[in-house]
Amino acid sequence: MSKTIRCDIVSAHEEIYSGDAVMIFATGVVGELGISPRHAPLITQLKPGPVRVQQPDGEEVFFFVGGGILEVQPHIVTVLADTAVRADDLDEAAAVRAKEEAERELQDRTGEMEVAEAQAKLAEAIAQLQALEQLRKRLKR
Amino acid sequence: MAGGKEITTKIRSIENTRKVTSALEMVSASKIRKSQALMNATRPYARMMRRVMGHMSKANPEYRHPFTIEREEIKKVGYIIVSTDRGLCGGLNTNLFKLVLNDIGLWQGKGAQISLVTLGKKALAFFKNLKVEIAAHASGLGEKPQIEDLIGSIKVMLDAYREGTLDRLYIVYNDFINTMTQKPTMERLLPLPATDDEEIRDIWDYIYEPDAESLLDTVLVRYIESLVYQSVLENLASEHAARMIAMKNATDNAGELIDDLTLIFNKARQAAITQEISEIVGGAAAV
């Protein structure tokens, strides 16, 4: 019977911790959790807070997570940490911003793309004028 | 010396262009390495996510999430198009847009409407001239895209799917295979491709905190976000690789042009010298 449980903590940006643990502490939305080996399968959302991992050599490591998901299988614990600060109204605001961004870009006739287009046309017109000028000079001669 | 001056000016201007393109090439080469490192750093998250999802699908589900249910009638199809902000990267964006246009054509033929989310300025500039809805847009993600910048655009599509106004969601991006090859890729995000339901399950279930519904929702949303984020990073690495190749070709072409022009210049100079000598000889003979 193993006395340790495998623990993987990852965020979208990096792998934070991977190794064996004797005990893992975290803050779930319902309350504090302490997970030892052969815990019953459990899945919970995490509150922003510390995750504490007791290693087999007796040392403890701390990580701060800004929320996320914790999954427990009898021999494995997975923490999917959020990197972004998440809340329903924050997400809503972000969605509204993304929509507005699209609308603004579509409305905006003087947007960057139009400027680039206009510049290209201007360069073409200048080139044509120069060509005409040279032709005229040659005809005079 | 006919045209000698003009040719030297031209050679010098091409030399300047070559300096610029070779500098851009080197910049892109160093950026590839960085974006590849970013890409690799996000892989564990996606792997763990899939592991948790696999466990969850084996648990006893008393509830099926709308994201996993296939709809019979497809009235509206959504695409998240990942493109670059800047140009000078060869046919990278064009090839991607061609793929999307083909697919859009197929769905429109079946009478479905189209809704787009554009990530990156090039996609917006291209698709805004088409008569399709652009639901959301994000650009200026930079060299180190953050998942925060993508949440909003993704949520627009997920909400539309929940409300039933969207029946399919695809993501299109350039898959980074290696520095020489980038492959335009289209993947289905919603409904999530089904896992094999046939296998016999042990009878067990999770302790859900707070409850199965909201947890499943959170996990699925995070999963989709991580897929989109991964695609953005793949596309970023592809962008740098494509730009490096494009700039390398430009540098090589500039070198060839300079060689050709130098040859023409030398010939013109030699012709002028020959002419002068024959004039002097001719003049001396006349005296």
Side-chain angles (χ1 to χ4, degrees):
Chain A
M1 277 292 136
S2 73
K3 289 202 174 95
T4 59
I5 186 163
R6 195 175 162 73
C7 174
D8 290 310
I9 304 177
V10 289
S11 79
H13 293 285
E14 59 189 334
E15 187 163 41
I16 297 171
Y17 178 84
S18 180
D20 289 333
V22 182
M23 188 98 174
I24 295 145
F25 300 95
T27 325
V29 278
V30 182
E32 282 274 337
L33 290 163
I35 294 141
S36 350
R38 290 188 293 134
H39 190 285
L42 171 135
I43 187 159
T44 177
Q45 243 173 300
L46 289 179
K47 272 190 195 168
V51 173
R52 205 145 49 92
V53 180
Q54 268 180 15
Q55 291 172 324
D57 57 11
E59 256 185 72
E60 265 193 20
V61 270
F62 284 85
F63 305 99
F64 182 84
V65 296
I69 298 155
L70 178 123
E71 192 230 14
V72 185
Q73 287 284 323
H75 298 293
I76 202 155
V77 173
T78 316
V79 179
L80 301 164
D82 286 342
T83 41
V85 181
R86 306 297 294 257
D88 281 346
D89 45 348
L90 272 179
D91 286 7
E92 194 61 54
V96 170
R97 252 203 322 278
K99 268 189 208 166
E100 282 171 356
E101 181 81 16
E103 276 159 24
R104 198 170 51 80
E105 292 279 348
L106 290 174
Q107 298 284 319
D108 199 2
R109 298 311 298 169
T110 56
E112 244 173 273
M113 292 318 294
E114 271 75 20
V115 172
E117 236 166 74
Q119 274 172 343
K121 277 188 189 147
L122 184 69
E124 210 181 294
I126 290 173
Q128 277 174 352
L129 279 176
Q130 278 174 342
L132 279 174
E133 196 74 15
Q134 277 172 356
L135 257 179
R136 204 172 292 154
K137 269 186 198 160
R138 239 173 250 176
L139 283 177
K140 263 185 200 166
R141 247 187 249 163
Chain B
M1 204 159 70
K5 184 83 178 152
E6 283 90 336
I7 296 173
T8 34
T9 337
K10 198 149 208 183
I11 290 178
R12 215 161 294 139
S13 107
I14 295 173
E15 270 170 356
N16 285 334
T17 313
R18 184 170 65 170
K19 266 182 219 155
V20 174
T21 54
S22 78
L24 265 175
E25 181 193 333
M26 281 186 270
V27 169
S28 297
S30 81
K31 278 181 180 170
I32 292 177
R33 233 166 296 140
K34 273 184 210 152
S35 51
Q36 258 182 307
L38 260 181
M39 223 163 72
N40 291 335
T42 60
R43 287 217 168 109
Y45 187 78
R47 200 175 59 232
M48 295 298 158
M49 201 67 168
R50 270 196 293 276
R51 188 167 83 189
V52 172
M53 298 253 306
H55 291 159
M56 282 180 90
S57 70
K58 287 199 186 80
N60 183 26
E62 68 264 37
Y63 164 75
R64 281 194 79 189
H65 195 276
F67 285 178
T68 58
I69 297 167
E70 195 102 14
R71 290 182 191 161
E72 304 242 319
E73 198 188 348
I74 312 286
K75 288 181 300 255
K76 198 168 193 181
V77 183
Y79 296 88
I80 296 178
I81 301 166
V82 188
S83 75
T84 67
D85 273 350
R86 272 170 292 178
L88 292 183
C89 46
L92 190 75
N93 286 319
T94 327
N95 290 341
L96 191 72
F97 297 158
K98 259 188 221 153
L99 180 79
V100 183
L101 280 181
N102 273 340
D103 208 60
I104 287 180
L106 284 181
W107 282 111
Q108 278 178 335
K110 288 182 203 163
Q113 282 180 295
I114 306 293
S115 172
L116 302 179
V117 167
T118 54
L119 303 175
K121 285 187 185 134
K122 291 286 163 190
L124 186 77
F126 184 84
F127 285 99
K128 81 194 219 183
N129 295 324
L130 265 63
K131 298 260 175 297
V132 288
E133 178 193 278
I134 294 178
H137 170 72
S139 57
L141 300 172
E143 289 308 317
K144 237 186 151 187
Q146 299 290 315
I147 217 162
E148 287 93 319
D149 301 325
L150 304 171
I151 291 171
S153 317
I154 301 168
K155 191 173 159 62
V156 170
M157 284 314 214
L158 296 186
D159 283 352
Y161 191 86
R162 279 201 194 96
E163 285 160 13
T165 51
L166 195 75
D167 305 300
R168 278 272 166 111
L169 181 62
Y170 292 97
I171 182 155
V172 234
Y173 64 99
N174 279 298
D175 196 11
F176 180 87
I177 296 167
N178 56 44
T179 327
M180 298 301 289
T181 342
Q182 299 88 37
K183 193 163 155 264
T185 309
M186 182 178 296
E187 275 165 15
R188 190 170 80 176
L189 288 181
L190 289 177
L192 284 165
T195 42
D196 38 355
D197 274 332
E198 300 309 314
E199 63 183 296
I200 305 147
R201 292 182 180 130
D202 303 333
I203 302 172
W204 66 275
D205 202 355
Y206 282 114
I207 307 166
Y208 294 96
E209 286 181 11
D211 59 278
E213 262 180 62
S214 69
L215 263 169
L216 206 53
D217 191 67
T218 315
V219 172
L220 290 181
V221 170
R222 295 284 193 282
Y223 180 61
I224 288 164
E225 281 169 2
S226 81
L227 287 180
V228 175
Y229 183 61
Q230 188 85 35
S231 313
V232 168
L233 293 179
E234 291 268 351
N235 200 70
L236 185 71
S238 301
E239 177 190 349
H240 292 317
R243 183 166 297 131
M244 188 185 86
I245 301 297
M247 289 302 116
K248 187 177 159 37
N249 287 339
T251 310
D252 292 351
N253 288 343
E256 269 169 41
L257 259 181
I258 289 170
D259 287 349
D260 289 351
L261 282 174
T262 315
L263 190 67
I264 293 172
F265 173 77
N266 288 342
K267 273 185 183 162
R269 188 188 55 190
Q270 197 54 54
I273 292 168
T274 315
Q275 197 189 347
E276 256 173 53
I277 290 175
S278 63
E279 273 166 10
I280 291 167
V281 171
V287 173

